[in-house]
Amino acid sequence: MKILKTNQYYLFIYFDSTCIYCKNEIEIIHTNKSQIKNVEIFFISNEEVETIKEFSKKFNFEGNHNIRFTHDINLGFYKKYNIIITPTLFFYNKDAILVKVQKGPITFKQFQDIINIEF
């Protein structure tokens, strides 16, 4: 991704608000948000903007400036990265290099391992 800055970690999560695994991913992040303050996190969905807003309110991420919810306009992200399942997670290191793509559910332990190793 050309828009990524160096010296900053990124996590992009393509999600669907009706997906139970996506909800679990968000719970993991919500529970551990204080431990991952140095990671810019973007939740991306192709759902209606209002659906995304309502979904994000459920998890009370207000005040966490490193966590954002966004709409995938015209399925640009979906098409570019060939999303075939939700959730799909993209982990970028501080050099803006993609270090891990996780398609499908991830356990808390796997998430910790990726965060601890890569971040």
Side-chain angles (χ1 to χ4, degrees), residues 99-113:
V99 294
K100 173 82 174 164
V101 176
Q102 172 68 40
K103 294 183 179 192
I106 188 170
T107 66
F108 180 68
K109 174 72 170 110
Q110 289 171 311
F111 186 84
Q112 279 184 311
D113 289 347

Side-chain angles (χ1 to χ4, degrees), residues 19 21 26 39-40 47 65 73 80 92 108 110:
C19 166
Y21 300 113
I26 292 172
V39 180
E40 290 289 325
E47 295 177 284
H65 302 290
I73 300 171
K80 182 173 183 164
Y92 286 82
F108 180 68
Q110 289 171 311

Side-chain angles (χ1 to χ4, degrees), residues 37 39-42 61-68:
K37 292 184 287 190
V39 180
E40 290 289 325
I41 302 170
F42 293 86
F61 284 117
E62 293 176 7
N64 294 94
H65 302 290
N66 65 315
I67 300 173
R68 297 173 184 85

